[in-house]
Amino acid sequence: MGVVGQRGFTLIEILVVLAIIGIMVGLAGVRMMPDDDRTVHGEAQRLALLLEQARDQAVASGEPIAFSAEQRGYRFWSLDAENRWVPRAGDELLRDRPLAGDVRLAALRVNQASLAAGERLLFLPSGSNAPFSADLALNAAHARIRGDSLGRVRIETREAAPE
């Protein structure tokens, strides 16, 4: 009986395949991680939808709803029985939220005037609201949310830093 040659892979072949797999996994991992532009745009979309929802709820309920923001998060407000602004309770949609990751609120303006700390953007039951803009930033990525007097909200992405 003759010796049958053994078949298999050499160490070099196995190392080459592992190197190729490692490179592909590394590239896929980098591609899967959201970049700054995507992160800011996603956060701008979420906030824009919530602002539209606040406006819609103010119109539907006949009660004003307010929005305030800090650099790293935001909150929605309602009036209590004594006409004082209190954070919305029991509302899963319009609850206190942090901004995603390292996204920050660079500016919030109503009628082109910057809001001071503690001031609120109001959504009135009439549906007519003051025009506003909110600038979100993450490193070099920026997005601006604009709301008009009819309550329409749109997102603008920009290359330059917010004004």
Side-chain angles (χ1 to χ4, degrees):
M1 242 169 130
V3 176
V4 178
Q6 292 185 346
R7 302 187 122 200
F9 297 106
T10 66
L11 181 59
I12 297 293
E13 290 171 329
I14 292 172
L15 289 175
V16 168
V17 169
L18 287 175
I20 291 170
I21 291 172
I23 289 169
M24 292 185 69
V25 167
L27 290 174
V30 168
R31 189 152 173 84
M32 294 291 227
M33 290 176 26
D35 63 357
D36 291 349
D37 288 325
R38 265 199 253 154
T39 301
V40 168
H41 189 73
E43 189 64 18
Q45 285 180 319
R46 178 174 76 156
L47 182 53
L49 289 171
L50 289 171
L51 293 170
E52 285 181 331
Q53 181 65 32
R55 185 230 24 211
D56 292 347
Q57 279 191 23
V59 171
S61 69
E63 300 289 330
I65 294 177
F67 167 81
S68 68
E70 294 82 38
Q71 197 170 19
R72 296 277 181 211
Y74 49 90
R75 168 178 283 171
F76 292 91
W77 303 80
S78 295
L79 290 173
D80 67 6
E82 287 86 36
N83 272 343
R84 292 181 304 206
W85 288 108
V86 293
R88 288 185 66 86
D91 188 339
E92 184 56 30
L93 191 60
L94 300 180
R95 60 180 166 76
D96 293 4
R97 293 177 190 261
L99 290 167
D102 290 331
V103 174
R104 63 184 170 76
L105 183 69
L108 179 61
R109 294 181 204 79
V110 176
N111 284 328
Q112 297 186 354
S114 293
L115 287 184
E119 291 185 315
R120 297 176 182 90
L121 168 62
L122 296 179
F123 296 100
L124 301 173
S126 67
S128 177
N129 300 297
F132 67 89
S133 67
D135 293 332
L136 299 177
L138 175 60
N139 300 323
H142 296 85
R144 177 172 283 169
I145 301 168
R146 286 193 185 271
D148 64 16
S149 58
L150 299 176
R152 295 176 295 215
V153 178
R154 71 179 190 278
I155 300 169
E156 303 168 353
T157 53
R158 307 172 331 134
E159 299 275 332
E163 300 168 4

